[in-house]
Amino acid sequence: QLQLVESGGGLVQPGGSLRLSCVASGFSLDHYAIGWFRQAPGKEREGVSCITTSGIENVADSVKGRFTISRDNAKNTVYLQMRNLKPEDTGVYYCLAEGVCGPGAFLSSWGQGTQVTVSS
């Protein structure tokens, strides 16, 4: 099964920035839409952002204007640039391959994710 590996999380103060990376292992990302999801303690998993194969970005209202998704197919990597982070952005962030952005089956398995903690 397709596998993606997330990295780049950490502890940051409110207002700070982080860039998460999502790297494909053993396959090319350029054939897939890639979505970022997060799960905060005690909350349901939610979609944060998704990028289509042609580079069109979709961003959740809760992070619009603060998060940017991009892809570098040459590096087989999708990035999530997070700015002006808030405590409510705390959670484990995951990336998954999708056929299209939006409701539908995931084409890769859930990885270990990367922890983002926003706290002073």
Side-chain angles (χ1 to χ4, degrees), residues 32 37 60 81 89 107 110 115 119:
Y32 302 92
F37 300 82
Q81 178 69 54
D89 295 318
L107 304 179
W110 291 90
Q115 175 72 47
S119 175

Side-chain angles (χ1 to χ4, degrees), residues 4 10 14 19 34-35 37-38 41 44 49 59 73 94 105 110 118:
L4 301 172
R19 188 177 77 160
I34 302 296
F37 300 82
R38 68 185 180 188
E44 291 188 357
S49 187
V59 183
N73 289 338
Y94 305 87
W110 291 90
V118 184

Side-chain angles (χ1 to χ4, degrees), residues 105-119:
F106 294 125
L107 304 179
S108 64
S109 56
W110 291 90
Q112 293 192 340
T114 186
Q115 175 72 47
V116 171
T117 303
V118 184
S119 175

Side-chain angles (χ1 to χ4, degrees), residues 81-93:
Q81 178 69 54
M82 307 186 295
R83 297 181 177 88
N84 191 21
L85 283 160
K86 303 177 180 181
E88 53 262 41
D89 295 318
T90 294
V92 181
Y93 284 69

Side-chain angles (χ1 to χ4, degrees), residues 72-83:
D72 186 337
N73 289 338
K75 295 183 178 181
N76 221 22
T77 302
V78 169
Y79 302 100
L80 184 68
Q81 178 69 54
M82 307 186 295
R83 297 181 177 88

